[in-house]
Each structure stands twice: as C-alpha cells, then as structure tokens.
C-alpha cells in the first residue's frame, strides 16, 4: 500500500495512521468537504442546453448501525442528490431521523446546482415548500404522491379516473407504453393543466402543471397478472418518454444505495461520531461516482 501511495503523494513521515485519518475526518466540516469536489462535478456534467434537462434524484438512506444508545442517538440518516444519467453524487445532508428528510431536502437544494434540471423525489418530499423551492430555483420536479398527502393523492386519482372514463376529453394528455421484459410492461399517462378542473382546491399547489400515472404490469409464471400504480405531480408537461425516463431514473439512487450496502458495507459501519460518519458517507458516494465513470466494463466490486 505504501509503494502505491508514494506514486501519488509525498509522505515524508510515512503513511498516516488510522487514528490520524480519523482525526482529520472529524475536523473537516462536511459541507466544506463536499464543496471541494464541486468544481470537478460541474466539469463532469454536460453543460446546460445540450440535450434534455439532466435528471437529479433525491432520496434518503439510513446508516443502520450508526446509532449510539449511550448518548441517545438513533441511526444517522443521509439525504443525498444523485445525477441519475451521469452516475455522479452531487451532495448530501445528514439528518438524525428519516422523518427529518422534509427539513433536510431544502438544505440540500441550497447546496447543489439544479437550474434547468429535472428533480425526482419520492413521496416523503411531497411538500409545498419543496415544490416551491425547486421552481423558484429554476428547476422542474417529478414528485411521487402517496397517502402522506391524502387530499392530493385522492384528487389525482379522481382526475385520472374521469379522464379514463371519457369525462375530460378536452384535457390534453400524453401516453407511453413499453415492454421491458417478456413478463413486464410499463404504461404512463400524463394530464396537462389539472388546475383548470378545480384540482385540489383553488390556489393550492400552484406549481403543478401536470399530473402523471405510472403503471407497472407484471405477468407471473402461472399466467396471473398484478399491477403497481403510482401517482406523480409535475411542474412541466413532459413528453411521455421523458416522464418514463424520470420515473425509472429515480431508481438510480436506489441502486447506488444498494452498492453502498453490498459492496461498501455501509450498514455494517459502527461509526457513531456524527461528523466522521457524514464525511465517510460522502467519501463512499464519491468513490461510487469514480467507479461508475471508470472505463472498465465490469461490476462495481471488481472495479
């Protein structure tokens, strides 16, 4: 290891000890540490105006064994931003609990550049303040809607049903259908301008310019079928193709989380000091970024 490091670093006092590296990572402020990587990240991303708006997925992940019962601390929860189509970690914010994602996402938005980007968030981020911050910052959103916003979810479902029953023929819409595998198909429906139809009450959710429904139909070995239906709110009336890419692209951050657990064993880490755990978490995400961009076509573990 020492001979390898001397190819890149001058180490007159030898290889730093584990304790030395630990003290350094505790001393580094996480936001400043992440800022050091941003110039490189900006160069790695395509400039605005070339191709469709880049996709940025925001999601949280819990470091399950980072809890500290002695000091009354639960496991650390990291909310991060991931450039889905480029495989690049853009930034992260640490929270004490999963429920704190609602307050962590606005802080994360202040750290990253998302002008002219399309941001995807799961249902935890379905909040008016988050939708407003994205649009105000010059971005667009595709945000999942579930029962944590029952009024909004019910309104979307009712509007989609009316459209399917032919009651809203004048409502502009787009559809998309793809067969991913022999036993799986996806169907997407986008409806434009729901506000004109008394959607969710006057003046509420003014940033919603379209609603979307994504259906995944699975045919099982015995011939039976099951479906999974998801609702989304959008700040732009996307093409059916781009809407489908945004929905599927969000799974890129889930895949990155899987790599952190399986390859980097993040869930097994017992690091309880919060600053250290935050910085180590960022180093893992940045390592995944570098490995995904490596030209060798092989698994992350092999790379």
């Amino acid at each position: 290891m020492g001979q390898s490091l001397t190819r890149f670093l001058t180490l007159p006092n030898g290889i730093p000890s584990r304790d030395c590296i630990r003290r350094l990572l505790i001393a580094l402020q996480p936001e400043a540490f992440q800022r050091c990587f941003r110039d490189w990240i900006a160069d790695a991303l395509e400039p605005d105006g070339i191709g469709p708006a880049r996709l940025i997925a925001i999601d949280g992940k819990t470091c399950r064994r980072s809890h500290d019962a002695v000091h009354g601390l639960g496991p650390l929860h990291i909310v991060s931003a991931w450039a889905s189509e480029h495989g690049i970690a853009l930034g992260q914010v640490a929270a004490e609990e999963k429920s704190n994602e609602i307050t962590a996402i606005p802080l994360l938005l202040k750290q990253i550049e998302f002008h002219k980007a399309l941001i995807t968030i799961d249902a935890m981020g379905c909040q008016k303040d988050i939708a407003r911050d994205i649009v105000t910052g010059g971005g667009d959103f595709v945000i999942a809607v579930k029962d944590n916003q029952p009024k909004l979810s019910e309104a979307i479902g009712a509007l989609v049903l009316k459209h399917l029953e032919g009651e809203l023929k004048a409502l502009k819409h787009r559809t998309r259908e793809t067969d991913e595998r022999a036993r799986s198909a996806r169907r997407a429906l986008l409806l434009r301008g729901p506000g004109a139809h008394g959607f969710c009450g006057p003046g509420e959710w003014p940033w919603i310019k379209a609603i979307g429904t994504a259906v995944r139909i699975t045919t099982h070995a015995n011939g039976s079928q099951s479906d999974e239906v998801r609702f989304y709110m959008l700040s732009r009336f996307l093409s059916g193709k781009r809407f489908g890419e945004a929905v599927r692209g969000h799974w890129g951050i889930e895949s990155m989380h899987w790599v952190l657990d399986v390859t980097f064993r993040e869930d097994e880490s017992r690091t309880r000091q919060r600053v250290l755990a935050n910085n180590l978490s960022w180093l893992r995400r940045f390592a995944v970024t570098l490995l995904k961009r490596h030209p060798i076509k092989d698994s992350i573990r092999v790379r």
Side-chain angles (χ1 to χ4, degrees), residues 2-290:
Q3 292 179 348
S4 299
L5 284 175
T6 55
R7 294 169 52 198
F8 307 100
L9 300 173
T10 301
L11 300 170
N13 298 314
I15 300 172
S17 68
R18 172 178 174 153
D19 289 340
C20 178
I21 294 173
R22 183 178 187 275
R23 289 194 296 269
L24 173 64
L25 290 176
I26 289 176
L28 289 172
Q29 291 302 309
E31 186 175 348
F33 187 37
Q34 295 174 38
R35 195 181 303 125
C36 295
F37 295 91
R38 288 182 187 162
D39 288 342
W40 181 88
I41 289 172
D43 290 340
L45 292 173
E46 294 180 4
D48 291 338
I50 298 179
R54 69 176 185 269
L55 293 178
I56 297 177
I58 293 178
D59 198 14
K61 179 186 180 299
T62 300
C63 302
R64 300 192 182 280
R65 298 196 66 195
S66 61
H67 60 278
D68 188 351
V70 174
H71 295 92
L73 295 175
L76 188 66
H77 192 72
I78 301 290
V79 181
S80 57
W82 180 256
S84 302
E85 295 165 314
H86 299 87
I88 295 177
L90 301 177
Q92 68 180 40
V93 170
E96 290 301 324
E97 297 178 1
K98 180 175 175 60
S99 59
N100 290 348
E101 278 191 33
I102 295 173
T103 56
I105 291 175
L107 296 176
L108 180 59
L109 291 173
K110 292 179 181 179
Q111 293 183 15
I112 65 174
E113 172 56 50
F114 61 88
H115 184 67
K116 294 185 179 180
L118 182 59
I119 296 178
T120 64
I121 312 177
D122 65 13
M124 182 66 78
C126 186
Q127 305 291 326
K128 291 181 181 179
D129 290 346
I130 293 174
R132 181 201 60 219
D133 289 349
I134 292 173
V135 174
T136 302
D140 285 299
F141 60 73
V142 176
I143 302 178
V145 180
K146 291 184 179 178
D147 291 339
N148 62 325
Q149 291 286 352
K151 186 178 178 180
L152 181 59
S153 179
E154 183 180 348
I156 293 176
L159 199 63
V160 170
L161 183 60
K162 286 182 179 180
H163 172 76
L164 294 176
E165 292 177 346
E167 296 182 31
L168 299 174
K169 295 181 179 178
L171 189 62
K172 190 172 182 179
H173 67 280
R174 289 170 177 163
T175 59
R176 175 83 172 178
E177 183 169 345
T178 58
D179 290 322
E180 294 183 343
R181 298 184 300 272
R183 294 182 179 178
S184 180
R186 291 182 184 267
R187 295 173 184 171
L189 170 66
L190 280 167
L191 302 178
R192 182 177 185 176
H197 300 273
F199 178 73
C200 206
E204 294 195 42
W205 298 97
W207 312 277
I208 301 178
K209 303 305 179 185
I211 59 174
T213 304
V215 182
R216 181 175 180 177
I217 302 172
T218 302
T219 302
H220 303 284
N222 61 2
S224 63
Q225 288 187 329
S226 61
D227 58 64
E228 180 184 11
V229 181
R230 296 190 177 192
F231 295 139
Y232 296 86
M233 62 180 192
L234 298 84
S235 61
R236 183 182 294 275
F237 187 44
L238 302 173
S239 67
K241 180 176 182 291
R242 194 56 176 164
F243 173 60
E245 289 172 347
V247 171
R248 291 192 301 276
H250 188 77
W251 288 104
I253 195 168
E254 298 287 351
S255 175
M256 185 266 289
H257 290 166
W258 184 88
V259 169
L260 290 174
D261 283 340
V262 175
T263 305
F264 288 82
R265 294 184 171 182
E266 183 169 77
D267 266 358
E268 297 179 26
S269 173
R270 287 293 287 130
T271 304
R272 286 159 284 189
Q273 208 284 338
R274 289 321 200 204
V275 173
L276 176 60
N278 194 345
N279 284 331
L280 285 173
S281 178
W282 173 249
L283 281 175
R284 295 187 194 102
R285 281 161 173 76
F286 198 73
V288 174
T289 294
L290 294 176

